[in-house]
Amino acid sequence: MKRPILMILVVVLGVVGVSSVFIVTETEYAIKFQLGRIVKADYEPGTHFKLPFVNNVLKFERRLLTLDTNPEQMLTSEQKFVAVDSFVKWRIVNVSRFYTSTQGNERVALSRLDSIVKDRIRNQIASRTLAEVVSEQRVSTMQDITRVANEAAQGLGIEVVDVRIKAIELPEDVRESVFRRMAADRQ
């Protein structure tokens, strides 16, 4: 009779022991909550303890993340449309602020970051001519976008490491006129 009770007690103690330990790797941040309130957020990699059923732990990526945006039509200062395709390299730098500003939802963070970056790209493209947008000044344009987007994203607890413009496409009618002009020049 004592033996089954002892087995049940060992199993319960094992479950409580396992649920009171959590591991933080080098590639993640961890936040410990106590009844929904942040208790601690600056964990070093390693093994840590929590109170089972009272504390819970959420983990977030510490590594560099990528946001690949969809191409979007933008106007240059000459009122010419271009389709700009870009991507953003970013990372979480303040996990508490990230959690409170996005409720820990990476999709919310990506949506906000997408709008921040596209607004900054749109402003930079609108202040430059078509020749400046596609010339060597593109590097300085991307640096300006990165700097301004990083300042705007600090409230989210993230750092914008880099913004790159993958492609700037001219509208179809402009491309056709350029090809016709090139063909006429060859003749």
Side-chain angles (χ1 to χ4, degrees):
M1 190 92 164
K2 281 189 162 189
R3 191 165 181 99
I5 294 174
L6 184 61
M7 292 291 283
I8 292 172
L9 186 61
V10 167
V11 168
V12 168
L13 286 176
V15 168
V16 168
V18 168
S19 65
S20 65
V21 174
F22 66 97
I23 298 171
V24 179
T25 66
E26 295 173 348
T27 63
E28 56 192 12
Y29 291 109
I31 300 178
K32 181 166 72 171
F33 297 90
Q34 183 170 339
L35 303 174
R37 191 175 42 98
I38 296 176
V39 177
K40 187 174 178 186
D42 55 346
Y43 285 101
E44 295 293 322
T47 305
H48 302 280
F49 298 96
K50 65 178 182 153
L51 293 173
F53 313 113
V54 176
N55 297 126
N56 63 327
V57 175
L58 281 179
K59 297 177 184 178
F60 300 97
E61 272 295 324
R62 185 182 290 253
R63 294 179 281 197
L64 204 56
L65 303 168
T66 302
L67 166 63
D68 193 4
T69 63
N70 293 325
E72 188 168 311
Q73 293 283 333
M74 298 181 187
L75 274 174
T76 64
S77 64
E78 306 162 312
Q79 302 300 310
K80 293 183 180 178
F81 278 102
V82 291
V84 179
D85 190 9
S86 63
F87 68 91
V88 181
K89 293 289 187 180
W90 65 283
R91 73 171 135 235
I92 300 170
V93 290
N94 185 332
V95 71
S96 296
R97 185 176 295 160
F98 178 79
Y99 180 80
T100 55
S101 65
T102 64
Q103 294 302 310
N105 189 339
E106 191 174 317
R107 288 184 184 171
V108 171
L110 290 174
S111 172
R112 289 184 185 171
L113 184 60
D114 184 44
S115 65
I116 287 171
V117 170
K118 281 189 177 174
D119 286 345
R120 292 349 180 245
I121 291 174
R122 192 175 296 110
N123 292 342
Q124 290 293 326
I125 298 290
S127 68
R128 290 173 165 73
T129 65
L130 182 60
E132 292 172 340
V133 167
V134 296
S135 71
E136 285 114 25
Q137 289 185 1
R138 190 160 130 179
V139 173
S140 68
T141 302
M142 289 185 289
Q143 290 171 344
D144 292 343
I145 293 168
T146 302
R147 181 181 45 77
V148 175
N150 193 23
E151 292 169 4
Q154 285 179 350
L156 297 174
I158 62 178
E159 173 190 20
V160 176
V161 176
D162 195 15
V163 176
R164 291 288 165 181
I165 296 174
K166 292 192 292 189
I168 298 175
E169 296 287 331
L170 298 171
E172 190 65 35
D173 58 335
V174 174
R175 272 188 274 164
E176 287 176 17
S177 74
V178 168
F179 289 137
R180 274 185 266 137
R181 216 177 309 139
M182 289 170 59
D185 288 346
R186 274 188 255 139
Q187 292 177 355

